[in-house]
């Protein structure tokens, strides 16, 4: 619930200390404009002390140190900015001129480049056909062999099986459905009332929450639970502790509740936490993700809570989903740039992060990753949630983006260099430039359709999902065969048109063509452009390749949302 919780956090923080850090930042800005760099440093350090994880304050702190000729500190904080946001801050500004001949600065430039490179390790499990469905979490119904999707705007849980999506419960709920957890035949899920569910401040359900208990086999609600004597709550995640107790996170009060004897009892709460998100348990430790500050750990034996120290180049802010995996944690981070999935490992007593590994980042399908679940050494997660498109319960999806669920293998996640030994050659990766969510335009600049192109079969294949402006659809599977040393495509459209082609990547372009049939040959060429777009040109010959006529011309522009 990144957007909603960010708004809540900003409001609460301003009530507590907002004007203080903002006034210091304003004073620093005034001093900067007046070329009073020493005073700028004084004020920005005060602001940063109040908001130590705020990347904008860190960026201006690095500027202030640079302008005061404190090279080491400037380089340190500049790299810190890149670890949080590698895209939106100008680290080559003239204000950093004094740094530019230092090795540390050059290393930061290299680090920024590496941070922006995609790491793609997932397969696509589902492309949801509903372009107006804002989903937050995914779970698996073992009995029906179906995926369950929690909806924010439609306020229900949906079942997805064999391409068909339908409501799991007969009637919608009064609250947005946020988190889910499966316990044998029981489905636990949380509901919360806020504007993205279509509620306004006058609605009696606004900023109220419930924990629901449902029968997975029958699809009926068995019970529901609220916090007694509490006027406002915003429930997010629900997890099952190692001894089977249901735990619920509340981002409004920054509290963990546990279900005991049919009542939600306050268990963990701290004034230090500003925006509570994901929760996970490892042994006697409960890990709490603060979206703004990073990770906290609660010791259930000592009844104590503390903030975990991070490592160089490890940003722990912006964690939405948090999951225990073996002796570590898997964190879904949508509050950093680029979005990423991070594996954290700890020392034996879980007192500090020992190592970390970025499992996935800047994936073309990562519109906004949120929550998921771990099963069979894989993380299944929502890659494309619609917080940025949801206005008061209505999804404004002009680019017709489809929600996507990815499966990320975790078996080798502790090994940063683990690779798919079968499909990681240069030839296998030759068509990766086509991966992504695309808007497609003709030569006149008219929008003619969308195409979602993603990896399948552990990265050994590529699947496209085409939707024309007129509503026609088509799917192709593409793969490289090491035996023939060729690329192949098989295409089928909703109107029954089929096409089989083969070819390869050469001279900066991918080209495949069909075998001659009664003199007819189809040939398609994909050409990556310097601006990141891709040209696709489909030509047809009716004289065994002597002459060609253009049948389709499309310019693919990456959808950045």
């Amino acid at each position: 619930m990144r957007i909603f919780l960010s708004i809540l956090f900003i409001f609460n923080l301003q009530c507590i200390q907002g004007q203080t850090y903002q006034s210091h930042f304003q004073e620093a800005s005034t001093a900067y404009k007046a070329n009073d760099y020493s005073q700028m440093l004084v004020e920005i350090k005060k602001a940063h002390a109040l908001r130590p994880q705020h990347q904008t304050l860190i960026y201006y702190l690095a500027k202030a140190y640079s302008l005061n000729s404190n090279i080491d500190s400037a380089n340190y904080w500049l790299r810190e900015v890149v670890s949080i946001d590698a895209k939106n801050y100008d680290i080559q500004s003239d204000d950093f001129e004094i740094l530019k001949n230092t090795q540390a600065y050059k290393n930061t430039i290299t680090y920024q480049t590496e941070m922006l490179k995609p790491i793609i390790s997932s397969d696509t499990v589902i492309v949801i056909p509903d372009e107006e469905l804002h989903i937050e979490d995914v779970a698996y119904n073992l009995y029906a062999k179906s995926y369950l999707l929690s909806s924010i705007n439609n306020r229900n849980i949906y079942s997805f099986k064999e391409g068909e999506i339908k409501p799991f419960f007969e009637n919608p709920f009064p609250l947005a459905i946020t988190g889910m957890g499966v316990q044998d035949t029981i489905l636990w899920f949380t509901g919360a009332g806020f504007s993205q569910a279509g509620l306004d401040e006058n609605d009696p359900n606004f900023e109220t929450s419930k924990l629901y208990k449902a029968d997975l086999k029958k699809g009926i609600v068995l019970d529901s639970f609220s916090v007694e004597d509490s006027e406002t709550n915003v429930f997010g995640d629900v997890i099952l502790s190692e001894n089977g107790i249901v735990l619920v996170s509340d981002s409004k009060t920054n509290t963990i509740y546990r279900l005991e004897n049919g009542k939600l009892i306050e268990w963990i709460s701290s004034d230090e936490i500003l925006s509570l998100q994901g929760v996970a348990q490892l042994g006697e430790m409960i890990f709490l993700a603060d979206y703004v500050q990073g990770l906290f750990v609660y010791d259930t034996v000592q009844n104590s809570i503390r903030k975990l120290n991070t490592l160089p180049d490890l940003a722990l802010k912006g964690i939405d989903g948090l999951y225990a995996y073996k002796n570590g944690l898997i964190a879904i981070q949508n509050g950093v740039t680029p979005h990423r999935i991070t594996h954290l490992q700890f020392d034996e007593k879980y007192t500090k992060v020992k190592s970390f590994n970025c499992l996935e980042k800047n994936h073309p399908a990562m519109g906004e990753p949120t929550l998921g679940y771990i099963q069979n050494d894989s993380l299944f997660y929502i890659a494309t949630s619609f917080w940025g498109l949801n206005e008061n319960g209505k999804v404004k999806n002009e680019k017709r983006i489809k929600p996507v669920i990815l499966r990320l293998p975790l078996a080798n996640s502790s090994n940063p260099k683990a690779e798919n030994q079968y499909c990681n050659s240069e030839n296998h990766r030759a068509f990766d430039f086509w991966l992504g969510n695309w808007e497609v335009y003709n030569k006149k600049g008219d929008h003619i359709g969308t195409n979602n192109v993603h990896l399948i079969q552990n990265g050994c294949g590529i699947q496209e999902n085409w939707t024309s402006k007129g509503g026609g659809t088509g799917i192709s599977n593409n793969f490289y065969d090491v035996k023939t040393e060729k690329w192949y495509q098989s295409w089928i459209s909703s109107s029954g048109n089929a096409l089989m082609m083969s070819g390869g990547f050469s001279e900066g372009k991918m080209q495949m063509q069909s075998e001659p049939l009664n003199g007819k040959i189809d040939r398609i060429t994909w050409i990556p452009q310097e601006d990141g777009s891709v040209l696709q040109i489909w030509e047809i010959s009716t004289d065994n390749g002597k002459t060609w006529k253009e049948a389709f011309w499309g310019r693919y522009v990456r959808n950045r949302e």
Side-chain angles (χ1 to χ4, degrees):
M1 294 188 293
R2 175 185 65 86
I3 291 178
F4 175 70
L5 293 177
S6 296
I7 293 171
L8 273 181
F9 163 71
I10 291 169
F11 174 78
N12 291 335
L13 191 64
Q14 286 176 346
C15 292
I16 297 169
Q17 63 179 34
Q19 294 305 308
T20 302
Y21 88 80
Q22 288 176 347
S23 62
H24 285 307
F25 181 70
Q26 185 59 50
E27 290 295 328
S29 298
T30 300
Y32 172 70
K33 293 174 183 177
N35 297 327
D36 187 351
Y37 300 135
S38 60
Q39 186 61 28
M40 175 192 179
L41 181 58
V42 170
E43 294 297 334
I44 200 67
K45 286 172 70 175
K46 291 178 180 178
H48 176 253
L50 293 172
R51 290 285 303 277
Q53 302 301 321
H54 196 302
Q55 56 264 40
T56 298
L57 298 183
I58 297 173
Y59 177 71
Y60 279 94
L61 181 64
K63 273 196 173 189
Y65 275 123
S66 177
L67 294 168
N68 282 277
S69 301
N70 191 328
I71 294 175
D72 290 342
S73 293
N75 275 319
Y76 174 85
W77 291 113
L78 194 60
R79 190 173 179 108
E80 187 80 2
V81 172
V82 175
S83 72
I84 299 171
D85 188 335
K87 180 180 179 181
N88 296 308
Y89 292 88
D90 182 10
I91 67 171
Q92 300 192 50
S93 163
D94 290 343
D95 290 336
F96 299 117
E97 194 63 37
I98 194 173
L99 310 180
K100 293 183 179 180
N101 288 327
T102 66
Q103 189 59 48
Y105 176 83
K106 294 175 183 178
N107 291 343
T108 298
I109 295 295
T110 301
Y111 174 56
Q112 181 188 45
T113 301
E114 291 300 314
M115 283 295 294
L116 291 173
K117 287 182 179 178
I119 296 177
I120 301 172
S121 306
S122 289
D123 291 338
T124 301
V125 179
I126 300 174
V127 177
I128 307 297
D130 191 336
E131 298 166 357
E132 297 181 354
L133 185 65
H134 180 179
I135 55 178
E136 174 73 359
D137 199 2
V138 58
Y140 190 70
N141 184 347
L142 183 62
Y143 301 98
K145 300 293 189 294
S146 63
Y147 293 95
L148 299 175
L149 311 169
S150 68
S151 172
I152 297 297
N153 60 330
N154 287 0
R155 303 187 304 205
N156 206 338
I157 291 175
Y158 285 78
S159 174
F160 185 93
K161 183 178 181 180
E162 297 176 353
E164 181 183 4
I165 185 169
K166 60 183 180 180
F168 186 67
F169 296 105
E170 183 177 354
N171 298 311
F173 293 80
L175 305 168
I177 307 304
T178 50
M180 297 185 291
V182 174
Q183 186 181 36
D184 195 17
T185 61
I186 299 299
L187 174 66
W188 298 96
F189 59 99
T190 48
F194 41 78
S195 63
Q196 287 85 355
L199 307 181
D200 60 34
E201 295 181 1
N202 297 318
D203 192 297
N205 294 303
F206 190 76
E207 291 193 0
T208 66
S209 290
K210 282 189 176 182
L211 168 68
Y212 294 94
K213 177 183 180 181
D215 188 313
L216 262 181
K217 292 183 177 180
K218 298 179 180 179
I220 58 173
V221 175
L222 302 173
D223 209 343
S224 64
F225 312 88
S226 301
V227 179
E228 294 182 358
D229 302 321
S230 178
E231 295 183 358
T232 61
N233 300 97
V234 180
F235 290 170
D237 290 19
V238 54
I239 71 164
L240 298 164
S241 71
E242 292 180 354
N243 56 1
I245 296 175
V246 179
L247 305 179
V248 176
S249 67
D250 180 357
S251 60
K252 179 70 176 180
T253 63
N254 294 313
T255 299
I256 299 295
Y257 296 96
R258 61 183 180 186
L259 187 64
E260 293 183 4
N261 300 319
K263 294 184 178 181
L264 287 172
I265 307 299
E266 181 179 319
W267 186 34
I268 306 171
S269 186
S270 172
D271 292 337
E272 294 183 66
I273 297 176
L274 300 173
S275 181
L276 180 61
Q277 299 282 292
V279 184
Q281 181 177 11
L282 289 172
E284 297 169 343
M285 304 296 179
I286 304 293
F287 290 84
L288 313 171
D290 184 331
Y291 198 78
V292 177
Q293 299 187 97
L295 273 180
F296 286 77
V297 59
Y298 174 76
D299 189 322
T300 60
V301 175
Q302 300 295 328
N303 191 29
S304 62
I305 190 168
R306 57 185 170 78
K307 186 174 181 292
L308 278 178
N309 292 326
T310 186
L311 295 174
D313 295 342
L314 173 62
L316 288 177
K317 69 177 298 185
I319 296 174
D320 197 347
L322 189 66
Y323 307 96
Y325 179 66
K326 297 184 177 178
N327 295 320
L329 295 175
I330 304 296
I332 300 176
Q333 295 180 268
N334 58 32
V336 292
T337 304
H339 298 155
R340 65 200 72 158
I341 311 292
T342 306
H343 183 198
L344 306 171
Q345 293 182 296
F346 302 89
D347 61 354
E348 292 182 358
K349 296 183 178 180
Y350 301 109
T351 59
K352 62 182 180 180
V353 179
K354 182 177 68 174
S355 63
F356 70 96
N357 180 28
C358 186
L359 305 181
E360 189 149 79
K361 63 180 171 70
N362 224 1
H363 190 293
M366 275 184 174
E368 180 172 354
T370 51
L371 305 178
Y373 67 94
I374 292 177
Q375 183 177 5
N376 298 330
D377 287 324
S378 291
L379 172 69
F380 295 77
Y381 72 97
I382 304 293
T384 313
S385 190
F386 285 159
W387 287 103
L389 304 178
N390 187 333
E391 295 183 13
N392 300 317
K394 301 293 184 181
V395 172
K396 296 184 177 181
N397 192 355
E398 295 178 359
K399 295 185 177 180
R400 302 177 67 181
I401 304 166
K402 293 181 174 64
V404 174
I405 296 172
L406 299 178
R407 181 189 70 87
L408 174 64
L410 300 175
N412 295 317
S413 60
S414 61
N415 179 7
K417 296 183 180 179
E419 296 176 341
N420 179 357
Q421 60 178 312
Y422 301 109
C423 302
N424 204 47
S425 71
E426 183 177 353
N427 287 325
H428 282 103
R429 305 271 58 89
F431 213 177
D432 280 2
F433 67 83
W434 198 31
L435 295 171
N437 287 312
W438 302 95
E439 306 297 327
V440 186
Y441 301 86
N442 62 19
K443 288 182 177 179
K444 296 179 180 179
D446 299 326
H447 184 261
I448 57 175
T450 62
N451 212 348
N452 174 269
V453 185
H454 55 260
L455 294 171
I456 57 174
Q457 294 301 308
N458 201 23
C460 291
I462 292 175
Q463 184 180 89
E464 73 162 314
N465 293 265
W466 162 258
T467 302
S468 72
K469 190 175 182 180
T473 61
I475 291 178
S476 77
N477 288 325
N478 306 261
F479 60 91
Y480 177 75
D481 188 341
V482 294
K483 297 185 292 294
T484 62
E485 297 184 344
K486 289 184 178 181
W487 271 88
Y488 294 86
Q489 181 183 95
S490 62
W491 159 270
I492 184 68
S493 73
S494 56
S495 59
N497 291 324
L499 186 61
M500 301 285 290
M501 300 187 299
S502 64
F505 186 84
S506 178
E507 297 180 352
K509 60 186 178 183
M510 175 67 72
Q511 188 173 88
M512 289 187 264
Q513 69 180 46
S514 64
E515 293 295 323
L517 180 63
N518 298 323
K520 181 187 177 186
I521 305 173
D522 291 271
R523 181 173 72 186
I524 300 181
T525 306
W526 296 263
I527 310 170
Q529 306 296 295
E530 290 184 2
D531 62 359
S533 64
V534 174
L535 295 184
Q536 180 179 350
I537 303 169
W538 181 6
E539 300 166 294
I540 297 176
S541 173
T542 56
D543 55 9
N544 287 309
K546 294 179 181 178
T547 60
W548 296 88
K549 183 178 180 179
E550 189 173 282
F552 175 89
W553 187 99
R555 180 170 177 264
Y556 283 64
V557 178
R558 195 176 298 278
N559 188 325
R560 297 296 181 182
E561 296 188 10

